[in-house]
């Protein structure tokens, strides 16, 4: 591949914005597209060019990254008269970093191949902070040649990228780890809630967790958020509820996964736009 390929980035939400910014800062020419145009302004100010549609973006890029919400967003970005696959020109590499179903990755990989493009599913573990600092973990499904082409670019985004076999395997690994995320989030919320309801100070419980073998980056960030009463979404609760539904659809129905799935589906209508750890408010309401 061209040593310095032209890059395209679709999806400038909480994650896409800092990830695209890292590629710009690494010296790549990046063209961005976001459905809501206002979110393109910070990237334009940082040196990106913009495209009017996914199809227009594909024509300007050798490699296109996608970081959008869900399967439906992927359908819309790939399909339609202005979609990625409406543009002429084979030989592009499409790297879908969104958390979506393995099924949609297999479908989009097949359609991409019909147009002469390569497709990788490459969802990430880590949140906004890790996106900003290039410390994500990238789980990749797809063929080895495409991975080899992507790897130097992924190295700017993650501390680790791991090829996991055929298309969809990156998505499956992501659903597996986000099931654990759901268990951690609910477990931490239940622990702090129990302590608070019995008159213990949340600060003290947070100190105990942090100094025990059970403390980790997640418990620190989310425990601090509870203490600060700050539920602004770094990772929106509705996105985790979506991931847990996708995991269930792949057959993950073991006891903890089932319990966490149920909790987050119930919490989503009222708290979906808040951070995942707002699940504590749902649990508190009983
Ligand atoms: P977000 O802030 O909600 O951003 C979602 C992005 O998707 C926005 O750019 C949005 O465009 C776009 N989008 C949604 N529906 C679309 C559609 N129908 N057509 C075109 N674009 C559409 O989400 P995020 O937190 O960045 O997450 C992005 C993906 O990464 C999700 O799959 C999420 O599960 C995954 N993820 C998130 C985190 C995290 O901590 N936040 C961590 C790991 C993985 P608009 O601006 O127009 O709405």
């Amino acid at each position: 591949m061209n040593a310095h390929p032209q890059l395209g980035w679709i999806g400038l939400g909480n994650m896409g914005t800092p990830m695209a910014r890292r590629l710009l800062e690494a010296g790549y020419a990046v063209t961005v597209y976001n459905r809501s145009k206002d979110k393109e302004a910070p990237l334009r100010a940082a040196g990106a060019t913009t495209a009017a549609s996914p199809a227009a973006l594909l024509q300007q890029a050798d490699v296109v990254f996608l970081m959008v919400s869900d399967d439906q967003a992927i359908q819309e970005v790939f399909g339609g008269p202005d979609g990625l696959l409406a543009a002429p020109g084979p030989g592009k590499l499409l790297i879908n970093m969104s958390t979506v179903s393995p099924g949609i990755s297999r479908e989009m990989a097949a359609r991409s191949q019909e147009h002469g493009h390569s497709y990788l599913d490459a969802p990430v573990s880590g949140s906004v902070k890790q996106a900003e600092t290039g410390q994500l973990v990238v789980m990749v499904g797809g063929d080895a040649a495409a991975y080899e082409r992507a790897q130097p670019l992924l190295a700017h985004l993650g501390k680790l990228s791991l090829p996991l076999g055929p298309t969809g395997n990156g998505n499956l690994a992501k659903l597996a780890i986000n099931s654990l995320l759901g268990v951690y989030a609910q477990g931490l919320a239940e622990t702090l809630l129990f302590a608070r309801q019995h008159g213990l100070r949340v600060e003290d419980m947070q100190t105990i967790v942090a100094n025990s073998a059970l403390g980790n980056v997640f418990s620190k960030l989310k425990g601090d958020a509870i203490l600060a009463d700050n539920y602004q979404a770094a990772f929106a609760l509705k996105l985790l509820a979506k991931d847990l539904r996708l995991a269930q659809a792949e057959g993950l129905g073991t006891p903890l996964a089932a319990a966490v799935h149920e909790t987050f589906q119930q919490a989503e209508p009222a708290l979906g736009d808040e951070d995942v750890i707002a699940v504590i408010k749902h649990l508190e309401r009983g």
Side-chain angles (χ1 to χ4, degrees):
M1 177 173 68
N2 176 353
H4 230 58
Q6 299 280 322
L7 306 183
W9 194 284
I10 297 178
L12 299 170
N14 288 334
M15 294 295 282
T17 295
M19 292 166 79
R21 189 186 292 277
R22 280 195 67 81
L23 293 171
L24 270 174
E25 286 169 358
Y28 290 95
V30 184
T31 302
V32 299
Y33 166 83
N34 196 67
R35 180 181 59 175
S36 315
K37 293 288 147 200
D38 56 315
K39 292 191 190 155
E40 292 174 350
L43 272 293
R44 209 181 308 114
T49 52
T50 55
S53 66
L57 179 138
L58 189 89
Q59 287 173 276
Q60 293 170 43
D62 304 306
V63 180
V64 177
F65 293 85
L66 298 104
M67 194 53 166
V68 294
S69 307
D70 53 19
D71 284 24
Q72 194 193 331
I74 290 297
Q75 292 275 18
E76 290 177 19
V77 168
F78 274 78
D82 291 328
L84 273 178
L85 296 179
K92 313 285 176 146
L93 172 59
L94 312 177
I95 306 178
N96 184 3
M97 305 193 80
S98 326
T99 304
V100 293
S101 68
I104 194 118
S105 276
R106 291 181 199 117
E107 182 188 335
M108 293 307 153
R111 288 176 60 188
S112 299
Q113 200 175 7
E114 284 165 17
H115 287 75
H117 306 311
S118 303
Y119 174 103
L120 292 172
D121 48 300
V124 303
S125 182
S127 193
V128 173
K129 207 174 196 58
Q130 290 75 28
E132 285 167 352
T133 53
Q135 294 294 303
L136 295 166
V137 173
V138 191
M139 296 155 270
V140 190
D143 76 57
Y147 175 72
E148 211 171 292
R149 220 175 135 186
Q151 196 279 332
L153 299 168
L154 297 178
H156 294 290
L157 304 174
K159 63 180 173 187
L160 171 72
S161 74
L162 203 59
L164 295 165
T167 302
N169 277 12
N171 298 130
L172 283 167
K174 173 63 184 168
L175 298 183
I177 194 165
N178 266 24
S179 173
L180 183 59
L181 171 64
V183 170
Y184 275 176
Q186 184 167 342
L188 180 68
E190 289 185 9
T191 297
L192 296 183
L193 193 57
F194 172 76
R196 189 160 78 196
Q197 285 171 341
H198 286 75
L200 289 163
R201 284 164 21 110
V202 174
E203 296 87 313
D204 290 338
M205 205 59 226
Q206 174 71 344
T207 303
I208 292 164
V209 172
N211 285 281
S212 74
L214 303 174
N216 56 33
V217 174
F218 182 83
S219 66
K220 169 87 179 96
L221 276 175
K222 300 307 181 187
D224 286 353
I226 290 171
L227 269 174
D229 205 25
N230 174 11
Y231 297 103
Q232 193 190 334
F235 181 31
L237 190 146
K238 66 183 174 196
L239 290 178
L240 182 60
K242 174 253 312 178
D243 297 352
L244 297 171
R245 279 195 295 278
L246 290 176
Q248 290 270 310
E250 295 302 317
L252 180 57
T254 38
L256 281 176
V260 166
H261 171 260
E262 193 182 328
T263 300
F264 280 88
Q265 305 315 304
Q266 288 171 355
E268 186 180 8
L271 299 165
D273 289 329
E274 298 189 35
D275 191 70
V276 283
I277 204 60
V279 72
I280 194 170
K281 297 199 238 178
H282 170 75
L283 295 165
E284 192 165 27
R285 287 169 200 158

